[in-house]
Amino acid sequence: MTSSTDESVAPAGRAERRRDRRKAEMIVAALQILSGVGYQGMRFEDVAERSDIAKATLYHYFPSKDALVSAALEKLTADVLTHLGEALDSASALSATEQLRALIAEQLRVLTVLYPEVGKLFSFPAPWPEQHSESIKTMRRRHDRIFREVIDGGITSGEFDCPDPSVALHCLHGILNHASIWLRPDADPEGRTRDAVVEESLRLFTRPQAIAT
């Protein structure tokens, strides 16, 4: 027999899931528009139209454009960090070279398959209001920390050999961000070009004998 408490909780749970799905759809729409026209070109009505909702409904979830942008950027960052963290966890018992290889490969997958908005929003940003500019800088630092910890570990162990890790890391992001522009998964079905990008990127940090597979 179902209790009255169970009957009241179930509809509430479904309603909450519906709200979460709708909110996620709005965030996805906002990211797509931001990556296309930037912060200045993004309008609430365009997000509402792409999400197939009324503008008033969008305001119910996000009281301002800046609130929506903040939520979208944080969601994107959290998802990217989750993917990188999972890739690193899967290689945690391996060498620093293999850990970095896993991170680079996953970052490239994020940029070309999962979230092509990342490169446009974070790598080649249009002007942002100060509050978002500072948030993006913080998000970049959170992102880079994952790579830097692996790089520093490889340097400490003697596995990596790069005179300036910070410069090498900037060069790495430059390689991956530009590769995401011309490297289309549909044109590289076997992943050979993607793998070549990963291996060449490793050369920024690793002695030649250490990257042999």
Side-chain angles (χ1 to χ4, degrees), residues 81-118:
L81 293 180
T82 295
H83 283 289
L84 291 176
E86 290 174 350
L88 186 57
D89 286 344
S90 68
S92 61
L94 304 178
S95 66
T97 299
E98 292 305 317
Q99 291 178 34
L100 187 56
R101 177 182 279 116
L103 283 178
I104 294 173
E106 187 62 14
Q107 179 71 34
L108 196 55
R109 188 172 80 96
V110 165
L111 288 169
T112 58
V113 179
L114 300 180
Y115 300 103
E117 299 90 354
V118 171

Side-chain angles (χ1 to χ4, degrees), residues 126-145:
W128 292 89
E130 184 175 355
Q131 69 179 93
H132 299 306
S133 179
E134 289 303 313
S135 295
I136 289 173
K137 289 179 183 177
T138 299
M139 293 170 188
R140 283 200 189 104
R141 286 193 290 268
R142 290 165 59 190
H143 172 273
D144 287 355
R145 191 177 301 124

Side-chain angles (χ1 to χ4, degrees), residues 166-189:
S166 295
V167 171
L169 184 56
H170 281 300
C171 290
L172 170 63
H173 291 324
I175 291 172
L176 297 182
N177 290 334
H178 282 281
S180 71
I181 297 173
W182 55 265
L183 181 58
R184 303 195 321 275
D186 59 333
D188 184 39

